[in-house]
Amino acid sequence: MPDILPVHLAIIMDGNGRWAKQRKMPRIMGHKKGVDVVNKVVRHSSRLGIKYLSLFAFSMENWKRPGDEVGFLMRLLDEYIEKELTTILKENIRFTVTGQTELIPEGTRKKLLDAADRSAANTGMVLNLALSYGGRAEIADAGRRIAELAAAGRLKPEDITEDNFLEFMYHPEIPDVDLLIRTSGELRISNFMLWRIAYSELYFTDKLWPDITEDDIDEALEDFAGRTRRFGKTDEQIDT
Ligand code: FPP
């Protein structure tokens, strides 16, 4: 494994529907297979020593999908957390959920938040599941919180800087994304982690999410390790 690992790895897990379609199966079968891959990738990343793994499991825009599919995805989530909590705790993983979770059906939301509570003291990898998540919504929510604090006289507008803005976002303890992977050949960001991806390295693979293996993750990590991250500086400034 490369000696330089991303501290924060984020993944847009795309292509479940196409995977199923290729096999003449209903789309939901692709999501079902997608959960097996989530399990593999979580275990692999945790064992490699990745500190933060963010997975885009359900976007704000996904609420617009047909009711049947949304219902199935919610049930899948429910089952996922019920089945996997034991492994999460055993692997010392801290589970967090990011997004407008108030939109998630009550029972499922409770299970997710309970899993977050029960794993809160864990010191291993943070598994950050983005659910009902939108990058613009996260920034707008932060803006609203800042405005409320300023209106209440608890914050001065001039105190807001690029450096402390993150404090007002969901899970401010989760740092910038170092490597963002998107599967399925789509070359888009789709409103994911907008604030935290400003300087991320991007990696796209044509493989569909249900076909992803540990080797594919390793390949992306190797590629990341070979990148020169300049953060706006010149090569010479980086070398010195
Ligand atoms: C994108 O595929 C995937 C999603 C919208 C959901 C991702 C969900 C999972 C991987 C399974 C659920 C996860 C957990 C943690 C329980 P798509 O449906 O957009 O595929 P398509 O672009 O081929 O139609």
Side-chain angles (χ1 to χ4, degrees), residues 11 37-46 53 209 212 217:
I11 309 182
V37 178
V38 166
N39 288 332
K40 270 196 260 178
V41 170
V42 166
R43 194 179 329 107
H44 188 59
S45 305
S46 154
L53 174 67
W209 178 252
I212 292 290
I217 300 298

Side-chain angles (χ1 to χ4, degrees), residues 22 40 43 47 50 60 108 115 117 128 133 144 158 161 164-165 170 187 199 210 227:
Q22 281 172 3
K40 270 196 260 178
R43 194 179 329 107
R47 295 194 173 167
I50 299 283
M60 286 296 281
T108 307
D117 273 354
N128 180 37
Y133 175 86
R144 196 175 314 107
E158 59 269 30
T161 64
N164 68 14
F165 194 86
Y170 311 149
L187 307 178
Y199 282 99
R227 307 256 183 118

